[in-house]
Amino acid sequence: MASTYDLIVVGGGIIGCGIAERLRSELPRVCLIDQGPKLGLGASSAAIGGINPHLGDYCLGPLGLMAQHSRTLFPGWINRIASESGTAIPLLPTGLLQVAAGKREWERLADEVMPILLARDIGAELIDGDHARALEPMLGPDVAGGVVQPRDLAVEPALIMNGLTRILLGDGGPDLLLSATVISVVSRRTEVVVTLADGRVLTADRVVVAAGHLSHALLDLPDGVFFPVKGQAMEFASPGRGSLSIQCDALVIADGEEHVVFALPRPDGRIAAGVTFEKGTADNVPTAEGRASILRNLALVLPALTAMPVTRRWAGVRPGTVDAAPVLGYVDDDHRVLAATGHYGMGITLAPVTVDLAAKLLLDLPLDGQDRHDLAISSPGRFSGLPVARTESQNPIAH
Ligand SMILES: Cc1cc2nc3c(=O)[nH]c(=O)nc-3n(C[C@H](O)[C@H](O)[C@H](O)COP(=O)(O)OP(=O)(O)OC[C@H]3O[C@@H](n4cnc5c(N)ncnc54)[C@H](O)[C@@H]3O)c2cc1C
């Protein structure tokens, strides 16, 4: 194992693994470091797997265009990982139904969301309650309708992580340092110095910080830019005859608070559903309260689902940012330390575009207009000079 590299990637989630996989054949000496005993034990394997570029308030702004760019890259990226790793990673063309659990939400979707989606030309269609139930018979009687987004995809993130892990462990992969915690990343004029908790010191020409919700400890950005957002989810056994026919997402009010209901079919009929948003909580332990909250909210939208056996429950920690956009770009004057983090509830959706842009920056490749747009909204520089004022939005992010 060397101690000097062309590139060190800190963090073995979908973002760090994706970048290390992309760069492994471009640069001779690449090292990937994760504090876990194996890759992918952070948020990435906990994600449900909706590829939903136009869901949630922030995606109605410029983030949605970056996410759409990523959606376009998704099939090619997944097919390459699947074929190079020999891992089956089904990408389901399920589409998405943004469900209106009641009349007020239907009016919001019709008046505020639809005009933006129509302008984006993504085939969105507003439907009433009867149409929604015809499309997905498990929807409950109170559903007032919704918006169909036919091009949204569904994937099982743990399978992407399996595929990436196989490639990274294979011949020609990077040096892998597991169970190794990075405690500092310091940019000097000619190199970056990476110090591990066990005292080892590595150097690299460039370093990517992709440490998920723990990235703030390694990046010199203002307090309040990053925060953890715990999310709990569960899986139901296949209903036997058919499964959920379309991904469903809804905003519901319970106990005077807004909650997100999200449900997505797996290729074998299992249904993954959730999710909680526990801002400021950074553990990954599923709780009885989380389970009760998910089931109560699901009952308002997909009551038939709650009668099915729960086969698995889990939790993960999203890397939240104050404006719900990722942080992608150099954070030092010498352009040696690249942040690739802060993907909040969109890290699976945004993985292909993040990998693509990181590769272009690290290899000094040309950028087109869309790349420049995406990098502008992700720029770490947008936080300079902050006292950070936290913005609260009704439905900031969808997963
Ligand atoms: C319940 C839930 C549902 C979700 N559903 C969706 C969805 O449907 N669609 C979607 O697009 N997104 C979804 N997300 C969001 C998505 O999971 C995240 O945005 C994404 O996984 C972030 O990836 P990452 O690689 O940045 O972070 P992570 O996967 O958390 O990886 C970071 C890695 O860095 C390592 N690390 C941290 N600090 C250090 C250090 N100091 N030294 C060494 N290693 C370190 C960690 O061990 C970890 O492996 C969901 C998230 C949750 C929790």
Side-chain angles (χ1 to χ4, degrees), residues 10-16 33-36 40-44 46-50 180-182 210-214 218 231-233 262 275 314 316-319 340-341 343-349 399:
V10 183
I14 194 164
I15 302 299
I33 306 177
D34 197 282
Q35 64 185 9
L41 294 180
S44 299
I48 292 194
T181 302
V182 173
H213 77 97
L214 297 170
L218 304 174
Q232 303 192 44
F262 186 62
V275 288
W314 68 91
V317 185
R318 304 173 186 89
T341 187
H343 292 77
Y344 211 142
M346 292 284 288
I348 308 303
T349 304
H399 315 103

mmCIF file of all heavy atoms in Angstrom, residues 10-16 33-36 40-44 46-50 180-182 210-214 218 231-233 262 275 314 316-319 340-341 343-349 399, ligand 1:
data_model
loop_
_atom_site.group_PDB
_atom_site.id
_atom_site.type_symbol
_atom_site.label_atom_id
_atom_site.label_comp_id
_atom_site.label_asym_id
_atom_site.label_seq_id
_atom_site.Cartn_x
_atom_site.Cartn_y
_atom_site.Cartn_z
ATOM 1 N N VAL A 10 -12.423 10.154 0.024
ATOM 2 C CA VAL A 10 -12.836 9.876 1.408
ATOM 3 C C VAL A 10 -14.334 9.641 1.418
ATOM 4 O O VAL A 10 -15.113 10.552 1.115
ATOM 5 C CB VAL A 10 -12.490 11.047 2.351
ATOM 6 C CG1 VAL A 10 -12.863 10.681 3.795
ATOM 7 C CG2 VAL A 10 -11.017 11.418 2.248
ATOM 8 N N GLY A 11 -14.741 8.413 1.735
ATOM 9 C CA GLY A 11 -16.165 8.087 1.809
ATOM 10 C C GLY A 11 -16.563 7.072 0.760
ATOM 11 O O GLY A 11 -16.441 7.313 -0.431
ATOM 12 N N GLY A 12 -17.041 5.934 1.222
ATOM 13 C CA GLY A 12 -17.393 4.828 0.331
ATOM 14 C C GLY A 12 -18.885 4.615 0.224
ATOM 15 O O GLY A 12 -19.376 3.497 0.304
ATOM 16 N N GLY A 13 -19.645 5.728 0.038
ATOM 17 C CA GLY A 13 -21.066 5.622 -0.311
ATOM 18 C C GLY A 13 -21.204 5.661 -1.825
ATOM 19 O O GLY A 13 -20.218 5.525 -2.566
ATOM 20 N N ILE A 14 -22.420 5.898 -2.288
ATOM 21 C CA ILE A 14 -22.644 5.879 -3.749
ATOM 22 C C ILE A 14 -21.831 6.978 -4.435
ATOM 23 O O ILE A 14 -21.331 6.782 -5.555
ATOM 24 C CB ILE A 14 -24.148 5.992 -4.072
ATOM 25 C CG1 ILE A 14 -24.396 5.618 -5.538
ATOM 26 C CG2 ILE A 14 -24.703 7.390 -3.756
ATOM 27 C CD1 ILE A 14 -25.837 5.338 -5.861
ATOM 28 N N ILE A 15 -21.631 8.110 -3.754
ATOM 29 C CA ILE A 15 -20.910 9.217 -4.386
ATOM 30 C C ILE A 15 -19.411 8.908 -4.439
ATOM 31 O O ILE A 15 -18.793 8.965 -5.513
ATOM 32 C CB ILE A 15 -21.187 10.538 -3.623
ATOM 33 C CG1 ILE A 15 -22.709 10.838 -3.590
ATOM 34 C CG2 ILE A 15 -20.406 11.684 -4.253
ATOM 35 C CD1 ILE A 15 -23.379 11.023 -4.938
ATOM 36 N N GLY A 16 -18.824 8.543 -3.296
ATOM 37 C CA GLY A 16 -17.386 8.259 -3.280
ATOM 38 C C GLY A 16 -17.037 7.044 -4.130
ATOM 39 O O GLY A 16 -16.069 7.064 -4.902
ATOM 40 N N ILE A 33 -11.076 5.517 0.843
ATOM 41 C CA ILE A 33 -11.016 5.298 2.303
ATOM 42 C C ILE A 33 -12.429 5.358 2.880
ATOM 43 O O ILE A 33 -13.194 6.276 2.577
ATOM 44 C CB ILE A 33 -10.167 6.399 2.999
ATOM 45 C CG1 ILE A 33 -8.786 6.490 2.362
ATOM 46 C CG2 ILE A 33 -10.061 6.122 4.494
ATOM 47 C CD1 ILE A 33 -7.915 7.619 2.953
ATOM 48 N N ASP A 34 -12.770 4.376 3.709
ATOM 49 C CA ASP A 34 -14.049 4.454 4.435
ATOM 50 C C ASP A 34 -13.837 3.984 5.867
ATOM 51 O O ASP A 34 -13.062 3.066 6.132
ATOM 52 C CB ASP A 34 -15.148 3.631 3.775
ATOM 53 C CG ASP A 34 -16.524 4.054 4.272
ATOM 54 O OD1 ASP A 34 -16.908 3.651 5.403
ATOM 55 O OD2 ASP A 34 -17.199 4.828 3.566
ATOM 56 N N GLN A 35 -14.590 4.590 6.767
ATOM 57 C CA GLN A 35 -14.437 4.217 8.177
ATOM 58 C C GLN A 35 -15.161 2.917 8.523
ATOM 59 O O GLN A 35 -14.928 2.330 9.570
ATOM 60 C CB GLN A 35 -14.913 5.345 9.079
ATOM 61 C CG GLN A 35 -16.391 5.651 8.965
ATOM 62 C CD GLN A 35 -16.793 6.871 9.787
ATOM 63 O OE1 GLN A 35 -15.950 7.579 10.314
ATOM 64 N NE2 GLN A 35 -18.089 7.096 9.905
ATOM 65 N N GLY A 36 -16.041 2.469 7.654
ATOM 66 C CA GLY A 36 -16.778 1.235 7.920
ATOM 67 C C GLY A 36 -15.973 0.000 7.544
ATOM 68 O O GLY A 36 -14.992 0.090 6.803
ATOM 69 N N GLY A 40 -20.390 1.188 1.560
ATOM 70 C CA GLY A 40 -21.837 1.335 1.399
ATOM 71 C C GLY A 40 -22.657 1.157 2.652
ATOM 72 O O GLY A 40 -23.853 0.882 2.566
ATOM 73 N N LEU A 41 -22.073 1.321 3.829
ATOM 74 C CA LEU A 41 -22.867 1.151 5.052
ATOM 75 C C LEU A 41 -23.515 2.458 5.514
ATOM 76 O O LEU A 41 -24.194 2.483 6.527
ATOM 77 C CB LEU A 41 -21.990 0.577 6.175
ATOM 78 C CG LEU A 41 -21.496 -0.847 5.936
ATOM 79 C CD1 LEU A 41 -20.642 -1.322 7.124
ATOM 80 C CD2 LEU A 41 -22.655 -1.812 5.709
ATOM 81 N N GLY A 42 -23.314 3.552 4.770
ATOM 82 C CA GLY A 42 -23.932 4.829 5.132
ATOM 83 C C GLY A 42 -25.322 4.954 4.543
ATOM 84 O O GLY A 42 -26.049 3.956 4.386
ATOM 85 N N ALA A 43 -25.691 6.176 4.173
ATOM 86 C CA ALA A 43 -27.051 6.433 3.677
ATOM 87 C C ALA A 43 -27.357 5.664 2.400
ATOM 88 O O ALA A 43 -28.517 5.332 2.131
ATOM 89 C CB ALA A 43 -27.214 7.925 3.412
ATOM 90 N N SER A 44 -26.318 5.362 1.612
ATOM 91 C CA SER A 44 -26.580 4.867 0.256
ATOM 92 C C SER A 44 -27.324 3.534 0.231
ATOM 93 O O SER A 44 -28.166 3.319 -0.638
ATOM 94 C CB SER A 44 -25.268 4.784 -0.521
ATOM 95 O OG SER A 44 -24.706 6.076 -0.606
ATOM 96 N N ALA A 46 -29.293 2.619 2.576
ATOM 97 C CA ALA A 46 -30.572 2.827 3.280
ATOM 98 C C ALA A 46 -31.611 3.492 2.387
ATOM 99 O O ALA A 46 -32.788 3.544 2.729
ATOM 100 C CB ALA A 46 -30.341 3.692 4.511
ATOM 101 N N ALA A 47 -31.165 4.014 1.244
ATOM 102 C CA ALA A 47 -32.101 4.747 0.382
ATOM 103 C C ALA A 47 -33.158 3.819 -0.189
ATOM 104 O O ALA A 47 -32.913 2.622 -0.382
ATOM 105 C CB ALA A 47 -31.337 5.429 -0.747
ATOM 106 N N ILE A 48 -34.315 4.384 -0.496
ATOM 107 C CA ILE A 48 -35.401 3.578 -1.061
ATOM 108 C C ILE A 48 -35.146 3.340 -2.547
ATOM 109 O O ILE A 48 -35.316 2.227 -3.033
ATOM 110 C CB ILE A 48 -36.753 4.259 -0.803
ATOM 111 C CG1 ILE A 48 -37.033 4.199 0.712
ATOM 112 C CG2 ILE A 48 -37.864 3.578 -1.590
ATOM 113 C CD1 ILE A 48 -38.447 4.509 1.104
ATOM 114 N N GLY A 49 -34.758 4.372 -3.275
ATOM 115 C CA GLY A 49 -34.362 4.128 -4.663
ATOM 116 C C GLY A 49 -35.240 4.759 -5.724
ATOM 117 O O GLY A 49 -35.244 4.313 -6.867
ATOM 118 N N GLY A 50 -35.936 5.822 -5.356
ATOM 119 C CA GLY A 50 -36.682 6.565 -6.374
ATOM 120 C C GLY A 50 -35.752 7.499 -7.135
ATOM 121 O O GLY A 50 -34.956 8.212 -6.527
ATOM 122 N N ALA A 180 -10.994 2.754 8.388
ATOM 123 C CA ALA A 180 -9.980 3.807 8.542
ATOM 124 C C ALA A 180 -10.685 5.156 8.526
ATOM 125 O O ALA A 180 -11.349 5.493 7.547
ATOM 126 C CB ALA A 180 -8.970 3.734 7.404
ATOM 127 N N THR A 181 -10.572 5.883 9.617
ATOM 128 C CA THR A 181 -11.273 7.178 9.723
ATOM 129 C C THR A 181 -10.320 8.327 9.418
ATOM 130 O O THR A 181 -9.254 8.430 10.033
ATOM 131 C CB THR A 181 -11.839 7.348 11.151
ATOM 132 O OG1 THR A 181 -12.718 6.259 11.411
ATOM 133 C CG2 THR A 181 -12.598 8.662 11.295
ATOM 134 N N VAL A 182 -10.717 9.156 8.483
ATOM 135 C CA VAL A 182 -9.932 10.350 8.159
ATOM 136 C C VAL A 182 -10.276 11.436 9.171
ATOM 137 O O VAL A 182 -11.455 11.716 9.413
ATOM 138 C CB VAL A 182 -10.262 10.828 6.723
ATOM 139 C CG1 VAL A 182 -9.594 12.167 6.432
ATOM 140 C CG2 VAL A 182 -9.833 9.773 5.706
ATOM 141 N N ALA A 210 -16.250 12.898 0.171
ATOM 142 C CA ALA A 210 -17.608 12.387 -0.102
ATOM 143 C C ALA A 210 -18.053 11.591 1.122
ATOM 144 O O ALA A 210 -18.431 10.428 1.022
ATOM 145 C CB ALA A 210 -17.595 11.521 -1.359
ATOM 146 N N ALA A 211 -17.965 12.240 2.276
ATOM 147 C CA ALA A 211 -18.169 11.546 3.551
ATOM 148 C C ALA A 211 -19.597 11.696 4.069
ATOM 149 O O ALA A 211 -19.842 11.611 5.284
ATOM 150 C CB ALA A 211 -17.155 12.059 4.574
ATOM 151 N N GLY A 212 -20.545 11.904 3.168
ATOM 152 C CA GLY A 212 -21.955 11.944 3.561
ATOM 153 C C GLY A 212 -22.213 12.974 4.648
ATOM 154 O O GLY A 212 -21.658 14.077 4.620
ATOM 155 N N HIS A 213 -23.030 12.603 5.620
ATOM 156 C CA HIS A 213 -23.426 13.590 6.644
ATOM 157 C C HIS A 213 -22.280 13.949 7.584
ATOM 158 O O HIS A 213 -22.425 14.868 8.395
ATOM 159 C CB HIS A 213 -24.647 13.083 7.429
ATOM 160 C CG HIS A 213 -24.311 12.045 8.459
ATOM 161 N ND1 HIS A 213 -24.126 12.352 9.786
ATOM 162 C CD2 HIS A 213 -24.104 10.722 8.338
ATOM 163 C CE1 HIS A 213 -23.834 11.240 10.451
ATOM 164 N NE2 HIS A 213 -23.823 10.246 9.596
ATOM 165 N N LEU A 214 -21.141 13.247 7.455
ATOM 166 C CA LEU A 214 -19.984 13.592 8.293
ATOM 167 C C LEU A 214 -18.982 14.488 7.564
ATOM 168 O O LEU A 214 -17.923 14.811 8.105
ATOM 169 C CB LEU A 214 -19.300 12.301 8.789
ATOM 170 C CG LEU A 214 -20.199 11.433 9.683
ATOM 171 C CD1 LEU A 214 -19.563 10.070 9.945
ATOM 172 C CD2 LEU A 214 -20.475 12.152 11.007
ATOM 173 N N LEU A 218 -14.647 17.571 7.755
ATOM 174 C CA LEU A 218 -13.437 17.608 6.929
ATOM 175 C C LEU A 218 -13.400 18.814 6.000
ATOM 176 O O LEU A 218 -12.417 19.015 5.290
ATOM 177 C CB LEU A 218 -13.342 16.314 6.096
ATOM 178 C CG LEU A 218 -13.368 15.010 6.903
ATOM 179 C CD1 LEU A 218 -13.407 13.814 5.973
ATOM 180 C CD2 LEU A 218 -12.153 14.938 7.821
ATOM 181 N N GLY A 231 -33.545 9.133 8.366
ATOM 182 C CA GLY A 231 -34.730 8.660 7.658
ATOM 183 C C GLY A 231 -34.975 7.191 7.958
ATOM 184 O O GLY A 231 -34.038 6.392 7.933
ATOM 185 N N GLN A 232 -36.214 6.854 8.294
ATOM 186 C CA GLN A 232 -36.566 5.450 8.547
ATOM 187 C C GLN A 232 -37.470 4.950 7.426
ATOM 188 O O GLN A 232 -38.253 5.708 6.849
ATOM 189 C CB GLN A 232 -37.287 5.314 9.881
ATOM 190 C CG GLN A 232 -36.469 5.850 11.041
ATOM 191 C CD GLN A 232 -37.021 5.464 12.391
ATOM 192 O OE1 GLN A 232 -37.417 4.314 12.610
ATOM 193 N NE2 GLN A 232 -37.034 6.406 13.305
ATOM 194 N N ALA A 233 -37.356 3.663 7.150
ATOM 195 C CA ALA A 233 -38.139 3.069 6.066
ATOM 196 C C ALA A 233 -38.412 1.599 6.403
ATOM 197 O O ALA A 233 -37.868 1.067 7.386
ATOM 198 C CB ALA A 233 -37.383 3.179 4.749
ATOM 199 N N PHE A 262 -43.937 7.650 0.976
ATOM 200 C CA PHE A 262 -43.280 7.271 -0.274
ATOM 201 C C PHE A 262 -43.299 5.752 -0.369
ATOM 202 O O PHE A 262 -42.983 5.063 0.605
ATOM 203 C CB PHE A 262 -41.840 7.807 -0.283
ATOM 204 C CG PHE A 262 -41.124 7.597 -1.583
ATOM 205 C CD1 PHE A 262 -41.601 8.186 -2.748
ATOM 206 C CD2 PHE A 262 -39.990 6.810 -1.654
ATOM 207 C CE1 PHE A 262 -40.953 7.993 -3.956
ATOM 208 C CE2 PHE A 262 -39.332 6.618 -2.857
ATOM 209 C CZ PHE A 262 -39.815 7.208 -4.012
ATOM 210 N N VAL A 275 -41.329 7.685 4.491
ATOM 211 C CA VAL A 275 -40.056 7.819 5.162
ATOM 212 C C VAL A 275 -40.175 8.902 6.221
ATOM 213 O O VAL A 275 -41.054 9.758 6.134
ATOM 214 C CB VAL A 275 -38.921 8.241 4.178
ATOM 215 C CG1 VAL A 275 -38.526 7.130 3.264
ATOM 216 C CG2 VAL A 275 -39.307 9.500 3.380
ATOM 217 N N TRP A 314 -35.383 -0.331 8.554
ATOM 218 C CA TRP A 314 -34.022 0.197 8.645
ATOM 219 C C TRP A 314 -34.049 1.716 8.751
ATOM 220 O O TRP A 314 -35.104 2.331 8.599
ATOM 221 C CB TRP A 314 -33.193 -0.241 7.429
ATOM 222 C CG TRP A 314 -33.623 0.369 6.133
ATOM 223 C CD1 TRP A 314 -33.162 1.527 5.574
ATOM 224 C CD2 TRP A 314 -34.614 -0.135 5.219
ATOM 225 N NE1 TRP A 314 -33.793 1.770 4.380
ATOM 226 C CE2 TRP A 314 -34.694 0.766 4.134
ATOM 227 C CE3 TRP A 314 -35.446 -1.264 5.202
ATOM 228 C CZ2 TRP A 314 -35.557 0.587 3.060
ATOM 229 C CZ3 TRP A 314 -36.313 -1.442 4.129
ATOM 230 C CH2 TRP A 314 -36.363 -0.532 3.082
ATOM 231 N N GLY A 316 -31.292 5.355 7.966
ATOM 232 C CA GLY A 316 -30.017 5.898 7.480
ATOM 233 C C GLY A 316 -30.010 7.396 7.735
ATOM 234 O O GLY A 316 -31.016 7.974 8.159
ATOM 235 N N VAL A 317 -28.868 8.017 7.466
ATOM 236 C CA VAL A 317 -28.734 9.448 7.762
ATOM 237 C C VAL A 317 -28.407 10.207 6.478
ATOM 238 O O VAL A 317 -27.346 10.033 5.882
ATOM 239 C CB VAL A 317 -27.643 9.705 8.821
ATOM 240 C CG1 VAL A 317 -27.622 11.188 9.186
ATOM 241 C CG2 VAL A 317 -27.873 8.851 10.050
ATOM 242 N N ARG A 318 -29.352 11.055 6.060
ATOM 243 C CA ARG A 318 -29.152 11.855 4.848
ATOM 244 C C ARG A 318 -28.168 12.994 5.137
ATOM 245 O O ARG A 318 -28.238 13.605 6.208
ATOM 246 C CB ARG A 318 -30.466 12.488 4.385
ATOM 247 C CG ARG A 318 -31.597 11.516 4.141
ATOM 248 C CD ARG A 318 -32.879 12.298 3.859
ATOM 249 N NE ARG A 318 -34.054 11.457 3.738
ATOM 250 C CZ ARG A 318 -34.845 11.082 4.735
ATOM 251 N NH1 ARG A 318 -34.564 11.467 5.979
ATOM 252 N NH2 ARG A 318 -35.907 10.322 4.514
ATOM 253 N N PRO A 319 -27.329 13.321 4.147
ATOM 254 C CA PRO A 319 -26.456 14.490 4.309
ATOM 255 C C PRO A 319 -27.202 15.760 3.925
ATOM 256 O O PRO A 319 -27.203 16.179 2.764
ATOM 257 C CB PRO A 319 -25.289 14.194 3.353
ATOM 258 C CG PRO A 319 -25.841 13.235 2.333
ATOM 259 C CD PRO A 319 -27.060 12.575 2.901
ATOM 260 N N ALA A 340 -17.807 16.640 -2.660
ATOM 261 C CA ALA A 340 -18.862 15.976 -3.455
ATOM 262 C C ALA A 340 -19.820 15.361 -2.439
ATOM 263 O O ALA A 340 -19.756 14.174 -2.121
ATOM 264 C CB ALA A 340 -18.259 14.914 -4.375
ATOM 265 N N THR A 341 -20.682 16.191 -1.914
ATOM 266 C CA THR A 341 -21.467 15.760 -0.754
ATOM 267 C C THR A 341 -22.746 16.596 -0.629
ATOM 268 O O THR A 341 -23.090 17.372 -1.523
ATOM 269 C CB THR A 341 -20.584 15.861 0.510
ATOM 270 O OG1 THR A 341 -21.282 15.298 1.614
ATOM 271 C CG2 THR A 341 -20.190 17.312 0.822
ATOM 272 N N HIS A 343 -25.982 15.662 -0.547
ATOM 273 C CA HIS A 343 -27.047 15.333 -1.511
ATOM 274 C C HIS A 343 -28.405 15.120 -0.861
ATOM 275 O O HIS A 343 -29.361 14.734 -1.530
ATOM 276 C CB HIS A 343 -26.656 14.095 -2.317
ATOM 277 C CG HIS A 343 -25.499 14.332 -3.246
ATOM 278 N ND1 HIS A 343 -24.207 14.385 -2.800
ATOM 279 C CD2 HIS A 343 -25.449 14.551 -4.574
ATOM 280 C CE1 HIS A 343 -23.401 14.619 -3.831
ATOM 281 N NE2 HIS A 343 -24.132 14.729 -4.911
ATOM 282 N N TYR A 344 -28.476 15.302 0.443
ATOM 283 C CA TYR A 344 -29.752 15.275 1.186
ATOM 284 C C TYR A 344 -30.554 14.023 0.794
ATOM 285 O O TYR A 344 -30.012 12.905 0.796
ATOM 286 C CB TYR A 344 -30.530 16.544 0.870
ATOM 287 C CG TYR A 344 -31.429 17.061 1.977
ATOM 288 C CD1 TYR A 344 -31.550 18.427 2.211
ATOM 289 C CD2 TYR A 344 -32.165 16.209 2.784
ATOM 290 C CE1 TYR A 344 -32.383 18.938 3.211
ATOM 291 C CE2 TYR A 344 -32.985 16.704 3.786
ATOM 292 C CZ TYR A 344 -33.112 18.059 3.990
ATOM 293 O OH TYR A 344 -33.934 18.551 4.974
ATOM 294 N N GLY A 345 -31.823 14.189 0.401
ATOM 295 C CA GLY A 345 -32.641 13.030 0.030
ATOM 296 C C GLY A 345 -32.613 12.726 -1.447
ATOM 297 O O GLY A 345 -33.535 12.081 -1.966
ATOM 298 N N MET A 346 -31.552 13.183 -2.149
ATOM 299 C CA MET A 346 -31.505 13.043 -3.615
ATOM 300 C C MET A 346 -30.231 12.359 -4.105
ATOM 301 O O MET A 346 -29.933 12.405 -5.294
ATOM 302 C CB MET A 346 -31.568 14.440 -4.251
ATOM 303 C CG MET A 346 -32.878 15.150 -4.083
ATOM 304 S SD MET A 346 -34.138 14.499 -5.179
ATOM 305 C CE MET A 346 -33.544 15.126 -6.748
ATOM 306 N N GLY A 347 -29.489 11.734 -3.203
ATOM 307 C CA GLY A 347 -28.153 11.248 -3.578
ATOM 308 C C GLY A 347 -28.152 10.115 -4.582
ATOM 309 O O GLY A 347 -27.195 9.970 -5.350
ATOM 310 N N ILE A 348 -29.213 9.311 -4.601
ATOM 311 C CA ILE A 348 -29.258 8.235 -5.600
ATOM 312 C C ILE A 348 -29.606 8.885 -6.949
ATOM 313 O O ILE A 348 -28.922 8.656 -7.955
ATOM 314 C CB ILE A 348 -30.295 7.155 -5.211
ATOM 315 C CG1 ILE A 348 -30.056 6.672 -3.768
ATOM 316 C CG2 ILE A 348 -30.275 6.008 -6.213
ATOM 317 C CD1 ILE A 348 -28.682 6.123 -3.478
ATOM 318 N N THR A 349 -30.628 9.726 -6.945
ATOM 319 C CA THR A 349 -31.025 10.429 -8.174
ATOM 320 C C THR A 349 -29.852 11.196 -8.776
ATOM 321 O O THR A 349 -29.652 11.198 -9.998
ATOM 322 C CB THR A 349 -32.184 11.402 -7.853
ATOM 323 O OG1 THR A 349 -33.261 10.667 -7.260
ATOM 324 C CG2 THR A 349 -32.675 12.123 -9.097
ATOM 325 N N HIS A 399 -37.275 12.382 -0.415
ATOM 326 C CA HIS A 399 -37.019 11.045 0.149
ATOM 327 C C HIS A 399 -36.299 11.144 1.496
ATOM 328 O O HIS A 399 -35.222 11.661 1.548
ATOM 329 C CB HIS A 399 -36.131 10.201 -0.757
ATOM 330 C CG HIS A 399 -36.512 10.255 -2.193
ATOM 331 N ND1 HIS A 399 -35.820 11.000 -3.102
ATOM 332 C CD2 HIS A 399 -37.520 9.659 -2.863
ATOM 333 C CE1 HIS A 399 -36.374 10.838 -4.307
ATOM 334 N NE2 HIS A 399 -37.410 10.051 -4.181
HETATM 335 C C1 LIG B 1 -34.476 6.388 4.363
HETATM 336 C C2 LIG B 1 -33.820 7.067 3.191
HETATM 337 C C3 LIG B 1 -34.416 7.008 1.948
HETATM 338 C C4 LIG B 1 -33.809 7.619 0.835
HETATM 339 N N1 LIG B 1 -34.389 7.474 -0.383
HETATM 340 C C5 LIG B 1 -33.812 8.054 -1.481
HETATM 341 C C6 LIG B 1 -34.404 7.893 -2.759
HETATM 342 O O1 LIG B 1 -35.436 7.216 -2.908
HETATM 343 N N2 LIG B 1 -33.822 8.527 -3.821
HETATM 344 C C7 LIG B 1 -32.682 9.290 -3.684
HETATM 345 O O2 LIG B 1 -32.211 9.864 -4.681
HETATM 346 N N3 LIG B 1 -32.070 9.426 -2.468
HETATM 347 C C8 LIG B 1 -32.614 8.831 -1.369
HETATM 348 N N4 LIG B 1 -32.022 8.972 -0.136
HETATM 349 C C9 LIG B 1 -30.840 9.848 0.002
HETATM 350 C C10 LIG B 1 -29.526 9.106 -0.326
HETATM 351 O O3 LIG B 1 -29.486 7.908 0.386
HETATM 352 C C11 LIG B 1 -28.302 9.965 0.051
HETATM 353 O O4 LIG B 1 -28.409 11.262 -0.478
HETATM 354 C C12 LIG B 1 -27.014 9.339 -0.506
HETATM 355 O O5 LIG B 1 -26.957 7.984 -0.176
HETATM 356 C C13 LIG B 1 -25.768 10.050 0.012
HETATM 357 O O6 LIG B 1 -24.645 9.313 -0.465
HETATM 358 P P1 LIG B 1 -23.173 9.627 0.056
HETATM 359 O O7 LIG B 1 -22.258 8.734 -0.685
HETATM 360 O O8 LIG B 1 -22.952 11.095 -0.014
HETATM 361 O O9 LIG B 1 -23.212 9.300 1.613
HETATM 362 P P2 LIG B 1 -23.127 7.913 2.393
HETATM 363 O O10 LIG B 1 -23.777 6.816 1.657
HETATM 364 O O11 LIG B 1 -23.603 8.184 3.774
HETATM 365 O O12 LIG B 1 -21.578 7.582 2.391
HETATM 366 C C14 LIG B 1 -20.653 8.331 3.143
HETATM 367 C C15 LIG B 1 -19.541 7.389 3.581
HETATM 368 O O13 LIG B 1 -18.497 8.157 4.161
HETATM 369 C C16 LIG B 1 -17.931 7.414 5.206
HETATM 370 N N5 LIG B 1 -17.247 8.367 6.099
HETATM 371 C C17 LIG B 1 -17.821 9.400 6.751
HETATM 372 N N6 LIG B 1 -16.886 10.085 7.439
HETATM 373 C C18 LIG B 1 -15.709 9.463 7.212
HETATM 374 C C19 LIG B 1 -14.374 9.705 7.655
HETATM 375 N N7 LIG B 1 -14.075 10.734 8.445
HETATM 376 N N8 LIG B 1 -13.401 8.846 7.259
HETATM 377 C C20 LIG B 1 -13.693 7.795 6.449
HETATM 378 N N9 LIG B 1 -14.931 7.526 5.997
HETATM 379 C C21 LIG B 1 -15.933 8.362 6.363
HETATM 380 C C22 LIG B 1 -19.099 6.701 5.841
HETATM 381 O O14 LIG B 1 -18.670 5.533 6.525
HETATM 382 C C23 LIG B 1 -19.978 6.384 4.632
HETATM 383 O O15 LIG B 1 -19.751 5.068 4.148
HETATM 384 C C24 LIG B 1 -32.588 8.347 0.988
HETATM 385 C C25 LIG B 1 -31.980 8.396 2.264
HETATM 386 C C26 LIG B 1 -32.578 7.757 3.347
HETATM 387 C C27 LIG B 1 -31.890 7.807 4.681
#
